[in-house]
Amino acid sequence: MTSSVVTHDSARRAPASGAASGADVMSCPPGTAPLDAPEGAPSDGDRPGRGARASLGVVSDEELARLRVVPARHPGRIVLAVLVGLLAAAVLWSFVTNPRWEWGVVAQWFFAESIIRGLLETLKLTVLAGALGFGLGLVLALMRLSKSSLISSVSWTFSWIFRSTPLLVQLLLWYNLGYLYERITLGVPLTDVTLVDTRTSDLMTPMLAAILGLGLHQAAYAAELIRGGILSVDQGQLEAASALGIPARDRSLRIVLPQAMRAILPTAFNEIIGLVKGTSIVYVLAHAELFFTVQLIYGRTQQVLPMLLVATVWYVVITSALSIGQYYIERHYSKGAVRTLPPTPLQRLRARFGRRPVTAGAPA
Amino acid sequence: MSPLTSLLRRTPARAGAPGAAAPSAGATLPSADAPSRGGLVEIRGVHKAFGDLEVLRGIDLTIEPGEVTVILGPSGSGKSTLLRAINHLEPVTSGLISVDGEVIGYRRDGDLLHELREPEVLRQRTAIGMVFQSFNLFAHMTALANVAEAPRRALGVNRKEAEAQARELLALVGLSEKEGAYPRQLSGGQQQRVAIARALALRPKVLLFDEPTSALDPELVEEVLSVIRSLASAGTTLVIVTHEISFARDVADTVVFMDQGRIVEQGPPAQVIDHPAHERTRTFLQRVRTGADAPVDAEPAGPADPSGPAGPDASPADHPRSHSPEDLR
């Protein structure tokens, strides 16, 4: 690669510099020659004992074959890497060896049936509240961008209310809806037909209250972040689609949204990961998700720290899985935004160990 | 010639569009039996204001079917706005624009003009293709998908058929081997050629070009112009806003010179470009011609300037009025 630059450059320069000798290139310290030759040429005059640029003459094939690139060294980075490594080792060491973490207890409870049940509840809450949040969020974002001021102000008002009241209050309000409205009746107005008629407290389980509370709160945030993504797409894309007679629904879903995804995804995963851990707030409704289960257990056994660790490690596991998913989903949506997709970590590993890459020819 | 003409034959727009059953007033836009002739564009008393700024101040212009009209003028003269008004991307303040007798953006009922709802405007637009200065290709779709998208979504053509047609169109603009490429992987000239293929996919009666070569490097201009030149012979009505004077002379049936929202003069290129009647036209042409020497705005050599750069493609100087589709690379 580098040698081709040298070839090209010297070939171009050759006629101008006439029959000057190539000795100067050879006498350069190894490594500086090929990299410096193209750019450094004009400043050659500054170097002591060096002629004008004419001295950078023809490089013979033989010399060309001998030229080698020495990669730049970064001694500071090595020092820093050692320091960081030591620090990490120290933290890890204390984490593993300090008996107060009680890893034995962690291991004993980690796959316990009640913990797994709690974990599944947490996942169920995350999926349902996330689906409600982002589904409704998308609708709210499109409403907000509507030309109709009525529709857009409805969306604005929703976001305003649900972003400005604390999540905890929302959850408790949903759960205590039965106190505000004793019965929920759904019927056809002005007739005796009733479709649904139940006591609110029968309908509003902790699970439903949690999904509504988390989902609607999430929707208000998701709406803004989806709207941000849509606004980031070039106006010309919409214009071109309109000029081609593509209907409004297809314009939004097929042209704008896929391109908005690039801007939406990083923040959206932030929100989803936040939601996974945010479900722990549902313990106030005494719904047996992961965090509430852990609290129940350490309330009985008094092994507070190890039980918190059990929950924490599970949250870390979920978040890690989501992060990996995020990488691949983002990669999918970057098609067309970058000229060539970067290799996945797997592909990089394979390239590294499967076939030795061609080294840049650093001297031994 | 024959593949081009067959490709440009119109298919009816999707009849399923709600309320799109073309109502009265001689609205025959999407009729299937109409041969692949260009549309007649009539522009009557068009005004357009953005707030206090009057961009168009009374434009009257008739563009005959199959005619190639080039609109010249300094920036801010309203030529792009006029072009965008033709397909209702820019609704006009007053006046009306019709294609083959069908008023764009409105339904005429005696002396009343009922504003059309969006699906009906979209149906009208399928007869009017547009090529943008900045290409506006859908960045997340391949070249093939870009060309196939509008027939699928606007006309309801199935995917296989749309892609087969898209392949033919890409071949027509000389980009068969690039069908899987994303816009970002193409050069500007290639992107613009894909954009032209995309506009052709709906088999429009009228094609609008909004400075199609202004965003291109000088050496890429000719590849796009040669595609447009070949379309000129295919019978579609072309309206082209450009700064390429020699191209205008080469391809135009009518040249329209605009300044400050009005048409200053119009006529065949031999008249408007070579013997302009108005002082304003003369100074503009002079300025653009001298600009031709500057590297940024270089235009291919015209007959008046045979010493200009001759690209790898045949320059208009070599083949004045060469209108054969073989011109396509």
Side-chain angles (χ1 to χ4, degrees):
Chain A
M1 176 66 195
T2 316
S3 51
S4 81
V5 171
V6 174
T7 317
H8 176 69
D9 193 67
S10 49
R12 195 154 31 79
R13 200 173 309 236
S17 54
S21 91
D24 282 291
V25 174
M26 232 169 64
S27 68
C28 283
T32 59
L35 287 178
D36 280 356
E39 289 167 12
S43 65
D44 265 356
D46 305 344
R47 299 190 201 169
R50 187 65 51 91
R53 76 185 61 171
S55 66
L56 251 175
V58 181
V59 178
S60 71
D61 289 352
E62 191 199 328
E63 285 170 303
L64 201 55
R66 266 185 286 133
L67 294 176
R68 291 286 177 267
V69 175
V70 180
R73 298 197 190 287
H74 305 279
R77 286 187 200 169
I78 297 169
V79 174
L80 206 63
V82 170
L83 281 178
V84 170
L86 283 176
L87 202 63
V91 170
L92 197 67
W93 181 253
S94 91
F95 205 51
V96 173
T97 54
N98 187 341
R100 302 257 169 115
W101 286 112
E102 295 183 77
W103 286 101
V105 178
V106 175
Q108 178 200 331
W109 282 101
F110 197 67
F111 290 110
E113 203 200 323
S114 53
I115 293 288
I116 296 296
R117 228 184 297 126
L119 176 70
L120 290 179
E121 279 305 301
T122 290
L123 287 176
K124 200 159 92 185
L125 265 177
T126 307
V127 169
L128 291 176
L132 174 63
F134 280 87
L136 185 60
L138 173 61
V139 173
L140 285 168
L142 293 174
M143 283 171 67
R144 183 75 192 281
L145 293 168
S146 161
K147 274 185 217 134
S148 150
S149 55
L150 173 69
I151 292 178
S152 95
S153 51
V154 166
S155 164
W156 184 88
T157 310
F158 182 96
S159 290
W160 174 63
I161 292 174
F162 283 86
R163 285 198 305 179
S164 39
T165 48
L167 177 57
L168 195 58
V169 173
Q170 288 178 35
L171 284 168
L172 291 172
L173 274 182
W174 284 116
Y175 190 52
N176 293 306
L177 197 68
Y179 176 75
L180 298 168
Y181 304 96
E182 229 169 278
R183 301 191 74 81
I184 289 180
T185 311
L186 193 68
V188 181
L190 306 177
T191 63
D192 291 335
V193 183
T194 26
L195 303 170
V196 181
D197 182 24
T198 77
R199 283 185 47 197
T200 310
S201 50
D202 292 343
L203 197 69
M204 194 54 74
T205 58
M207 182 72 177
L208 185 61
I211 290 169
L212 280 177
L214 290 170
L216 296 181
H217 185 256
Q218 191 60 55
Y221 284 90
E224 286 300 283
L225 91 89
I226 292 172
R227 187 170 69 96
I230 290 174
L231 291 180
S232 77
V233 176
D234 181 40
Q235 190 63 25
Q237 297 287 308
L238 265 185
E239 213 164 62
S242 309
L244 286 166
I246 294 172
R249 196 178 53 103
D250 290 326
R251 283 205 299 269
S252 299
L253 298 183
R254 284 190 54 89
I255 308 295
V256 176
L257 212 53
Q259 301 187 63
M261 286 304 268
R262 258 176 76 72
I264 292 173
L265 279 173
T267 330
F269 269 93
N270 249 0
E271 292 284 313
I272 293 172
I273 286 169
L275 185 61
V276 172
K277 293 178 291 174
T279 54
S280 59
I281 200 178
V282 169
Y283 83 91
V284 296
L285 308 181
H287 182 67
E289 42 69 58
L290 183 57
F291 192 68
F292 185 74
T293 312
V294 164
Q295 276 185 316
L296 277 186
I297 294 169
Y298 70 60
R300 232 177 331 115
T301 66
Q302 298 304 314
Q303 293 160 320
V304 177
L305 273 181
M307 287 319 294
L308 285 178
L309 210 55
V310 167
T312 305
V313 173
W314 272 120
Y315 284 126
V316 170
V317 168
I318 300 172
T319 306
S320 309
L322 282 172
S323 301
I324 294 170
Q326 174 180 5
Y327 176 85
Y328 283 96
I329 293 175
E330 277 184 22
R331 196 169 183 277
H332 170 80
Y333 280 104
S334 70
K335 264 188 311 182
V338 289
R339 273 172 172 248
T340 46
L341 287 177
T344 63
L346 263 180
Q347 288 169 336
R348 239 175 288 163
L349 276 179
R350 230 176 281 140
R352 184 145 199 160
F353 296 111
R355 196 162 49 86
R356 297 285 312 162
V358 186
T359 48
Chain B
M1 184 75 182
S2 59
L4 193 62
T5 6
S6 73
L7 272 172
L8 292 179
R9 190 161 300 133
R10 284 186 56 74
T11 43
R14 174 154 60 180
S24 71
T28 52
L29 224 166
S31 79
D33 47 339
S36 108
R37 285 290 73 115
L40 167 74
V41 182
E42 285 187 285
I43 300 169
R44 287 290 163 262
V46 162
H47 287 257
K48 171 73 188 179
F50 294 105
D52 287 339
L53 182 70
E54 254 203 310
V55 184
L56 298 177
R57 313 172 183 213
I59 302 285
D60 284 283
L61 184 65
T62 303
I63 299 169
E64 299 293 336
E67 199 177 79
V68 180
T69 303
V70 170
I71 305 178
L72 300 175
S75 49
S77 60
K79 51 195 191 318
S80 283
T81 308
L82 178 63
L83 203 68
R84 292 158 56 82
I86 294 178
N87 71 352
H88 209 60
L89 275 183
E90 210 77 81
V92 300
T93 314
S94 65
L96 59 85
I97 297 174
S98 68
V99 172
D100 280 355
E102 185 177 5
V103 182
I104 300 300
Y106 301 91
R107 179 171 55 82
R108 189 168 168 189
D109 185 8
D111 287 345
L112 293 178
L113 288 176
H114 300 279
E115 190 177 352
L116 291 181
R117 291 156 59 87
E118 208 202 347
E120 298 157 67
V121 177
L122 290 176
R123 181 188 55 81
Q124 290 183 332
R125 284 200 186 122
T126 62
I128 308 169
M130 178 131 185
V131 175
F132 298 85
Q133 178 178 351
S134 47
F135 327 134
N136 291 346
L137 289 179
F138 304 134
H140 61 303
M141 296 182 176
T142 61
L144 188 75
N146 262 283
V147 181
E149 185 69 5
R152 289 179 62 194
R153 303 292 147 189
L155 304 181
V157 176
N158 72 43
R159 181 189 176 134
K160 232 176 113 190
E161 234 174 276
E163 289 191 345
Q165 189 212 3
R167 277 195 190 89
E168 286 178 60
L169 285 164
L170 283 177
L172 199 73
V173 297
L175 288 173
S176 288
E177 74 283 13
K178 295 289 186 187
E179 65 168 62
Y182 287 91
R184 198 86 20 125
Q185 297 163 333
L186 299 171
S187 75
Q190 290 170 334
Q191 288 189 50
Q192 193 60 299
R193 285 189 279 155
V194 173
I196 292 174
R198 183 176 69 171
L200 287 174
L202 292 172
R203 298 166 188 192
K205 298 168 159 188
V206 181
L207 254 181
L208 312 173
F209 291 87
D210 188 5
E211 303 198 25
T213 58
S214 294
L216 296 178
D217 285 346
E219 64 265 45
L220 301 178
V221 167
E222 184 50 36
E223 65 183 69
V224 171
L225 291 186
S226 74
V227 170
I228 301 175
R229 201 174 290 124
S230 69
L231 294 175
S233 62
T236 312
T237 306
L238 303 187
V239 187
I240 306 167
V241 169
T242 185
H243 291 298
E244 305 281 343
I245 304 293
S246 58
F247 171 72
R249 191 205 323 266
D250 178 35
V251 81
D253 297 307
T254 306
V255 173
V256 175
F257 179 74
M258 283 181 68
D259 189 30
Q260 299 189 348
R262 289 197 181 85
I263 292 177
V264 175
E265 61 181 304
Q266 65 183 85
Q271 180 194 320
V272 178
I273 295 180
D274 297 329
H275 306 286
H278 290 259
E279 184 53 37
R280 185 71 193 88
T281 317
R282 260 195 293 276
T283 50
F284 171 76
L285 289 172
Q286 213 137 39
R287 202 169 305 146
V288 177
R289 283 225 181 83
T290 42
D293 296 333
V296 184
D297 249 299
E299 49 171 317
D305 178 18
S307 63
D313 302 298
S315 85
D318 302 326
H319 301 290
R321 296 204 70 87
S322 56
H323 280 172
S324 64
E326 287 84 346
D327 235 27
L328 292 168
R329 311 200 307 117

